[in-house]
């Protein structure tokens, strides 16, 4: 007993680790990939809440883009696409159209997108931009001479409808599949030709009023003041021809028409514009034809261009293929 007591007194107890050593040695007990959270590693609650919101916005944008790119176009994609484009292009629209004119243009754009997609819309947009730009050329001079367009060139709904009536009819025929698949290309050709005709007419008239040195009445070849109904000038006629070529090129570039059909559009537009000049000189503002205002003449003009293009495609191209 005395021996065991003596041995116990000489056995040294294990050292008590200090707090620092205990803290250091405890890390070896924890798994290597265990991290003690600290304030710097905690994500803010606001950031966590924003993630679902960002995901929902991204999903909405994705849905909108897929709707816009619908093929074939739908009424929903046409309305949405026009709404976005009209909002982005509002400064240009306001400079060229009245409020009611913008409303009419929105209906035209929606119909165009539904019938011919983004390529058809781009064609009409090109027509509008060029037509608006040439109308503003030398506006002060035109106003001083009394030949400028009303409201500083800002078109109203009558002008929009008068400039697009034939194109709208072609769009409706394409939407409802009139004549079947074989005729769909014809309605597309008539659509492009109508706007080539109108742009050529607008450019030739505005450039002629701005830069035409000598203006002739088309029915008698007498020299008349610039801005006279049915009058033509070399400068204006050449500018109108270039405008028709440019818009036909855009139509071909966008796949709306083929190269031979682009040539047909240019030829048809020039014939139609010559006919419109004859109507303006012989009938417009004459007794019994007071109803024949600029908007009515525009409808006749673009209708002639559209019908001529379709007729020439059927007669000339079909005979060449045979």
């Amino acid at each position: 007993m005395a021996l065991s007591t003596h041995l116990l007194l000489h056995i040294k107890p294990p050292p008590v680790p200090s707090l620092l050593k205990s803290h250091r040695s405890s890390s070896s007990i924890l798994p290597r990939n265990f991290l003690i959270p600290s304030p710097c590693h905690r994500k803010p609650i606001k950031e966590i809440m924003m993630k679902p919101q960002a995901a929902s916005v991204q999903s909405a944008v994705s849905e909108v883009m897929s709707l816009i790119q619908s093929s074939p176009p739908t009424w929903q994609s046409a309305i949405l696409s026009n709404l976005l484009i009209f909002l982005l292009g509002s400064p240009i629209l306001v400079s060229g159209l009245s409020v009611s004119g913008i409303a009419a243009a929105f209906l035209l754009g929606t119909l165009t997108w539904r019938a011919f997609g983004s390529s058809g819309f781009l064609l009409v947009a090109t027509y509008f931009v060029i037509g608006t730009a040439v109308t503003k050329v030398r506006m002060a001079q035109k106003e001083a001479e009394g030949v400028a367009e009303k409201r500083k060139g800002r078109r109203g709904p009558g002008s929009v409808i008068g400039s697009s009536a034939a194109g709208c009819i072609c769009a409706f025929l394409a939407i409802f599949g009139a004549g079947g698949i074989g005729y769909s290309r014809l309605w597309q050709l008539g659509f492009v030709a109508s706007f080539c005709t109108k742009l050529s007419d607008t450019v030739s008239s505005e450039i002629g009023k701005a830069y035409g040195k000598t203006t002739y009445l088309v029915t008698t070849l007498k020299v008349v003041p610039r801005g006279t109904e049915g009058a033509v000038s070399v400068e204006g006629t050449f500018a109108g021809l270039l405008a028709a070529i440019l818009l036909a090129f855009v139509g071909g570039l966008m796949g709306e028409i083929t190269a031979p059909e682009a040539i047909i559009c240019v030829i048809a537009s020039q014939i139609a514009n010559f006919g419109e000049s004859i109507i303006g000189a012989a009938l417009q503002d004459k007794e019994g034809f007071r109803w024949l205002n600029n908007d009515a003449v525009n409808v006749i003009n673009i209708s002639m261009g559209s019908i001529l293009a379709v007729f020439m495609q059927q007669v000339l191209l079909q005979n060449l293929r045979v």
Side-chain angles (χ1 to χ4, degrees):
M1 183 68 179
L3 179 60
S4 59
T5 304
H6 179 75
L7 291 173
L8 287 172
L9 291 174
H10 285 79
I11 295 174
K12 293 183 179 180
V16 179
S18 64
L19 183 61
L20 180 61
K21 288 183 179 181
S22 174
H23 175 74
R24 289 177 179 175
S25 61
S26 63
S27 62
S28 61
I29 302 174
L30 298 174
R32 292 187 179 180
N33 57 354
F34 182 82
L35 295 176
I36 299 175
S38 61
C40 61
H41 289 136
R42 293 173 187 168
K43 292 185 178 180
I45 297 177
K46 186 177 180 181
E47 182 181 344
I48 297 173
M49 294 178 63
M50 287 178 63
K51 277 193 173 182
Q53 295 178 358
S56 62
V57 171
Q58 186 176 2
S59 176
V61 171
S62 179
E63 289 180 7
V64 169
M65 293 304 298
S66 61
L67 181 60
I68 291 175
Q69 296 171 359
S70 299
S71 182
T74 62
W75 285 113
Q76 292 86 348
S77 66
I79 293 172
L80 179 59
S81 301
N82 274 269
L83 184 60
L84 292 175
I85 293 171
F86 270 56
L87 288 174
L88 293 174
S90 56
I92 299 176
L93 291 169
V94 170
S95 67
L97 296 170
S98 63
V99 175
S100 55
I102 292 175
F106 183 83
L107 296 177
L108 168 63
T110 301
L111 181 62
T112 299
W113 194 291
R114 173 63 180 83
F116 306 114
S118 58
S119 59
F121 186 92
L122 179 61
L123 183 88
V124 177
T126 304
Y127 152 76
F128 174 75
V129 171
I130 297 176
T132 301
V134 296
T135 302
K136 304 292 185 181
V137 172
R138 290 196 172 183
M139 178 60 74
Q141 172 192 311
K142 294 174 187 175
E143 287 178 336
E145 295 176 357
V147 296
E149 292 289 332
K150 298 176 182 178
R151 301 184 296 272
K152 298 287 185 180
R154 296 174 70 220
R155 315 275 178 168
S159 179
V160 174
I161 295 171
S163 302
S164 62
C168 288
I169 292 174
C170 290
F172 274 118
L173 292 172
I175 290 171
F176 294 106
I181 299 177
Y183 281 81
S184 61
R185 293 291 300 180
L186 284 179
W187 310 141
Q188 209 160 2
L189 171 64
F191 175 83
V192 176
S194 69
F195 284 100
C196 284
T197 302
K198 183 52 193 166
L199 182 63
S200 178
D201 174 55
T202 300
V203 171
S204 62
S205 175
E206 294 299 331
I207 296 300
K209 287 187 289 188
Y211 298 103
K213 295 180 179 178
T214 307
T215 310
Y216 303 92
L217 196 64
V218 70
T219 52
T220 62
L221 297 182
K222 289 183 178 179
V223 177
V224 292
R226 287 184 292 194
T228 303
E229 294 296 341
V232 296
S233 66
V234 174
E235 295 84 358
T237 302
F238 183 69
L241 175 61
L242 291 180
I245 292 172
L246 175 61
L247 198 61
F249 174 76
V250 172
L253 193 65
M254 299 304 297
E256 291 287 302
I257 52 176
T258 63
E261 289 172 343
I263 297 173
I264 285 177
C265 286
V266 174
I267 296 173
S269 69
Q270 300 311 295
I271 296 173
N273 284 341
F274 182 73
E276 187 258 358
S277 296
I278 293 177
I279 292 173
L283 302 176
Q284 195 169 354
D285 293 332
K286 300 297 189 295
E287 189 65 32
F289 293 93
R290 299 297 181 186
W291 57 271
L292 198 62
N293 57 19
N294 284 333
D295 295 335
V297 172
N298 284 336
V299 172
I300 296 172
N301 180 31
I302 61 177
S303 298
M304 284 193 296
S306 184
I307 293 170
L308 276 172
V310 171
F311 177 77
M312 290 170 66
Q313 197 274 354
Q314 288 292 283
V315 174
L316 296 180
L317 294 186
Q318 294 297 333
N319 289 338
L320 288 174
R321 288 169 185 169
V322 173

